[in-house]
Amino acid sequence: MKAPIAALSPIAALIAVAALACVPWLVGDYGLSLAINIVSYTVLATAWSLFSGPTRYVSLATVAFFGIGAYTTAVFAETLAWPLVLLIAGVVGIVVAGLVGLSTLRLSGVYFVIFSFGLAELIRQLVTWYEVNVTRTLGRYVFTDIGAAHIYWQLLALGVLVFAAGWAIGRSRLGLALRAIGDDETVARHAGIDTTRAKVALFVLSTVFMTLTGAIMAPRWTYIDPAIAFNPVLSFTVLIMALLGGVHRLYGPVLGVVPLALLFEYLIAGFPNHFSIMVGVVFIVIVYLIPKGVVGLVERVARKPA
């Protein structure tokens, strides 16, 4: 019975992707805007959990790479073809992530958390300095002819790629090495695992998805500046979504993205001046009540004897 059941998973995934691809034709402008938010957060939270899930390194640098992608689009979208803009964004993301990874992934615990948060602020300040002192204009207009439906389809394709990457890594030697690092990095090192190389490889891969998400999302704004592109709330929002769903399963972050994206949409519309405070409250509630996320809660209930 295992073969037919196993064969159903790819078929079900294809049907789900095909159904999701039809969303722009089935909903109005508001529904499509909401769908874009959900898919973009799904890519970001899944990419975040690719690295932070198995290694247990808590990164707050999501917005740093998202902002790099958004600014790359703002700089090049008017003069270059769209595929070339995405290629440049990906390369910039790889270079920055490689440099950051090689210089910081020997850190661990709270030191890595603090550094990753500081990295986003450092890049924001560097971009601000460049704009003020070199271009003499703070902020840029985003000129592209890419509509909302195309943004949605590109994000959906990126979502398929991030899930495919996660599935492949989970069944590779790299995935096994990362799980060993998450259990005990010292033991993994003594077992012969090149822990730095493994962490840098996955850190670069996860941040490329974040960078491309920022590049694809940039046309949603007519104008961006460093405060918009590098808003630190994004890093905390992605972290909360991943933790709520559960980071020890590839599909876990999706279970956190959907309810929280809808909740945050309501809070932004109803309480715009108190949104950051409410995000903090949601974070505290999730950490204390369901530290292993919805997936962990369901698995714990399922293991209880009847």
Side-chain angles (χ1 to χ4, degrees):
M1 294 299 291
K2 288 184 178 179
I5 292 174
L8 282 177
S9 297
I11 295 173
L14 288 174
I15 293 174
V17 172
L20 290 172
C22 297
V23 166
W25 295 309
L26 303 175
V27 299
D29 292 341
Y30 177 74
L32 182 55
S33 175
L34 195 58
I36 288 173
N37 282 340
I38 290 175
V39 177
S40 66
Y41 279 126
T42 297
V43 176
L44 291 172
T46 306
W48 183 90
S49 69
L50 279 183
F51 172 74
S52 296
T55 63
R56 301 181 184 178
Y57 276 56
V58 177
S59 171
L60 292 176
T62 301
V63 76
F65 297 97
F66 181 91
I68 288 173
Y71 250 86
T72 302
T73 295
V75 172
F76 294 107
E78 192 177 6
T79 55
L80 298 179
W82 183 242
L84 192 55
V85 173
L86 295 182
L87 178 62
I88 293 173
V91 171
V92 173
I94 289 172
V95 171
V96 174
L99 293 174
V100 171
L102 288 171
S103 60
T104 65
L105 287 179
R106 295 182 189 279
L107 301 174
S108 61
V110 69
Y111 300 103
F112 180 78
V113 178
I114 294 172
F115 178 86
S116 62
F117 182 75
L119 172 67
E121 184 63 16
L122 173 64
I123 294 178
R124 184 173 76 89
Q125 294 297 336
L126 287 175
V127 172
T128 302
W129 179 89
Y130 182 86
E131 295 283 60
V132 171
N133 294 281
V134 179
T135 66
R136 304 290 183 184
T137 56
L138 184 60
R140 293 172 181 270
Y141 287 96
V142 182
F143 295 111
T144 70
D145 56 356
I146 297 174
H150 288 93
I151 291 174
Y152 173 83
W153 284 321
Q154 290 177 50
L155 289 172
L156 184 61
L158 197 60
V160 172
L161 289 177
V162 75
F163 275 101
W167 181 86
I169 291 170
R171 287 154 181 77
S172 68
R173 291 173 62 88
L174 176 60
L176 181 62
L178 292 166
R179 287 193 293 275
I181 292 171
D183 291 337
D184 192 320
E185 187 166 348
T186 303
V187 173
R189 196 178 299 118
H190 285 302
I193 296 173
D194 189 337
T195 57
T196 301
R197 179 182 296 181
K199 288 186 294 183
V200 170
L202 197 58
F203 184 71
V204 170
L205 179 64
S206 68
T207 54
V208 166
F209 286 111
M210 297 172 184
T211 308
L212 291 176
T213 302
I216 294 171
M217 284 290 287
R220 293 289 291 165
W221 298 296
T222 305
Y223 170 88
I224 66 170
D225 61 26
I228 296 173
F230 297 95
N231 187 344
V233 173
L234 178 70
S235 291
F236 289 99
T237 304
V238 170
L239 170 64
I240 294 168
M241 289 175 169
L243 290 180
L244 175 61
V247 297
H248 63 291
R249 292 284 185 268
L250 181 59
Y251 60 85
V254 181
L255 303 179
V257 166
V258 175
L260 286 185
L262 297 175
L263 174 63
F264 291 161
E265 184 75 14
Y266 169 76
L267 293 178
I268 290 174
F271 310 94
N273 297 326
H274 303 89
F275 176 71
S276 297
I277 298 175
M278 292 181 176
V279 169
V281 172
V282 171
F283 178 76
I284 292 171
V285 170
I286 291 172
V287 169
Y288 274 96
L289 295 185
I290 42 176
K292 293 188 177 181
V294 174
V295 174
L297 182 63
V298 171
E299 290 178 348
R300 188 176 63 187
V301 172
R303 283 196 297 267
K304 285 186 177 179

